[in-house]
Coordinates of all heavy atoms in Angstrom, one line a residue:
V1 N -1.9 -6.9 -5.2 CA -0.5 -6.7 -5.6 C 0.4 -6.9 -4.4 O 1.5 -7.3 -4.5 CB -0.3 -5.3 -6.3 CG1 -0.4 -4.2 -5.2 CG2 1.0 -5.3 -7.0
L2 N -0.1 -6.6 -3.2 CA 0.7 -6.8 -2.0 C 1.2 -8.2 -1.8 O 2.3 -8.5 -1.3 CB -0.2 -6.4 -0.7 CG 0.5 -6.4 0.6 CD1 1.6 -5.4 0.7 CD2 -0.6 -6.1 1.7
Y3 N 0.4 -9.2 -2.3 CA 0.9 -10.6 -2.2 C 1.4 -11.1 -3.5 O 1.8 -12.3 -3.6 CB -0.3 -11.5 -1.7 CG -0.8 -11.0 -0.4 CD1 -1.9 -10.2 -0.2 CD2 0.0 -11.3 0.8 CE1 -2.3 -9.7 1.0 CE2 -0.4 -10.8 2.0 CZ -1.5 -10.0 2.1 OH -1.9 -9.5 3.4
H4 N 1.4 -10.3 -4.6 CA 2.0 -10.7 -5.9 C 3.5 -10.2 -5.9 O 4.4 -10.9 -6.3 CB 1.2 -10.0 -7.0 CG 1.8 -10.3 -8.4 ND1 2.1 -11.5 -8.8 CD2 2.1 -9.4 -9.4 CE1 2.6 -11.4 -10.0 NE2 2.6 -10.1 -10.4
D5 N 3.7 -8.9 -5.4 CA 5.0 -8.4 -5.4 C 5.0 -7.2 -4.4 O 4.6 -6.1 -4.7 CB 5.5 -7.8 -6.7 CG 6.9 -7.3 -6.7 OD1 7.5 -7.2 -5.6 OD2 7.4 -7.1 -7.8
K6 N 5.3 -7.5 -3.1 CA 5.1 -6.6 -2.0 C 6.1 -5.4 -2.1 O 5.9 -4.4 -1.4 CB 5.2 -7.3 -0.7 CG 6.6 -7.8 -0.3 CD 6.5 -8.5 1.0 CE 7.9 -9.1 1.4 NZ 7.8 -9.9 2.7
I7 N 7.2 -5.5 -2.9 CA 8.1 -4.4 -3.0 C 7.9 -3.6 -4.2 O 8.7 -2.6 -4.5 CB 9.6 -4.9 -2.9 CG1 9.9 -5.8 -4.1 CG2 9.8 -5.6 -1.5 CD1 11.4 -6.1 -4.2
S8 N 6.8 -3.9 -5.0 CA 6.5 -3.1 -6.2 C 6.0 -1.7 -5.8 O 5.6 -1.5 -4.7 CB 5.5 -3.8 -7.0 OG 4.2 -3.8 -6.3
K9 N 6.2 -0.8 -6.7 CA 5.7 0.6 -6.5 C 4.2 0.6 -6.2 O 3.7 1.4 -5.4 CB 6.0 1.5 -7.7 CG 7.5 1.8 -7.9 CD 7.7 2.8 -9.0 CE 9.2 3.1 -9.2 NZ 9.4 4.0 -10.3
G10 N 3.5 -0.3 -6.9 CA 2.0 -0.3 -6.7 C 1.6 -0.7 -5.3 O 0.7 -0.1 -4.7
A11 N 2.3 -1.8 -4.8 CA 2.0 -2.3 -3.5 C 2.3 -1.2 -2.4 O 1.6 -0.9 -1.5 CB 2.8 -3.5 -3.2
K12 N 3.5 -0.5 -2.6 CA 3.9 0.5 -1.7 C 2.9 1.7 -1.7 O 2.6 2.3 -0.6 CB 5.3 1.0 -2.0 CG 6.4 0.0 -1.7 CD 7.8 0.5 -2.1 CE 8.8 -0.6 -1.8 NZ 10.2 -0.1 -2.2
A13 N 2.4 2.0 -2.9 CA 1.4 3.1 -3.0 C 0.1 2.8 -2.2 O -0.4 3.7 -1.5 CB 1.2 3.4 -4.5
Y14 N -0.4 1.6 -2.4 CA -1.6 1.3 -1.7 C -1.5 1.1 -0.2 O -2.4 1.4 0.6 CB -2.3 0.1 -2.3 CG -3.1 0.4 -3.6 CD1 -2.6 0.1 -4.9 CD2 -4.2 1.2 -3.5 CE1 -3.3 0.5 -6.0 CE2 -4.9 1.6 -4.6 CZ -4.5 1.2 -5.9 OH -5.2 1.6 -7.0
L15 N -0.3 0.7 0.2 CA 0.0 0.7 1.7 C 0.0 2.1 2.2 O -0.5 2.4 3.3 CB 1.3 0.0 1.9 CG 1.3 -1.6 1.8 CD1 2.7 -2.1 1.9 CD2 0.5 -2.2 3.0
A16 N 0.6 3.0 1.4 CA 0.6 4.4 1.8 C -0.8 5.0 1.9 O -1.1 5.8 2.8 CB 1.5 5.2 0.8
L17 N -1.6 4.6 0.9 CA -3.0 5.1 0.9 C -3.8 4.6 2.1 O -4.5 5.4 2.8 CB -3.7 4.7 -0.4 CG -5.2 5.1 -0.5 CD1 -5.3 6.6 -0.6 CD2 -5.8 4.4 -1.7
A18 N -3.6 3.3 2.5 CA -4.2 2.8 3.7 C -3.7 3.6 4.9 O -4.6 3.9 5.8 CB -3.9 1.3 3.8
G19 N -2.5 3.9 5.0 CA -1.9 4.6 6.1 C -2.5 6.0 6.2 O -2.8 6.5 7.2
E20 N -2.7 6.6 5.0 CA -3.3 8.0 5.0 C -4.7 7.9 5.5 O -5.2 8.8 6.2 CB -3.2 8.5 3.5 CG -3.5 10.0 3.4 CD -3.3 10.6 2.0 OE1 -2.5 9.9 1.2 OE2 -3.9 11.6 1.7
L21 N -5.5 6.9 5.1 CA -6.9 6.8 5.5 C -7.0 6.6 7.0 O -7.8 7.2 7.7 CB -7.5 5.5 4.8 CG -8.8 5.8 4.0 CD1 -8.4 6.6 2.7 CD2 -9.4 4.5 3.6
L22 N -6.1 5.7 7.5 CA -6.1 5.4 9.0 C -5.7 6.7 9.8 O -6.2 7.0 10.8 CB -5.1 4.3 9.3 CG -5.6 2.9 8.8 CD1 -4.5 1.9 8.9 CD2 -6.8 2.4 9.5
N23 N -4.7 7.4 9.2 CA -4.3 8.6 9.9 C -5.4 9.7 9.9 O -5.6 10.4 10.9 CB -3.0 9.2 9.1 CG -2.4 10.4 9.9 OD1 -2.2 10.3 11.1 ND2 -2.1 11.4 9.1
N24 N -6.1 9.8 8.8 CA -7.2 10.8 8.7 C -8.3 10.4 9.7 O -8.9 11.2 10.4 CB -7.8 10.8 7.3 CG -6.8 11.5 6.3 OD1 -5.9 12.2 6.7 ND2 -7.1 11.3 5.0
A25 N -8.6 9.0 9.8 CA -9.6 8.6 10.7 C -9.2 8.8 12.2 O -10.1 9.2 13.0 CB -9.8 7.1 10.5

């Protein structure tokens, strides 16, 4: 979805999840 519509709520949510994973790591 990041490359389908990068400003969609779905894309933003998964970017946030990746950020949370990286922060935890």
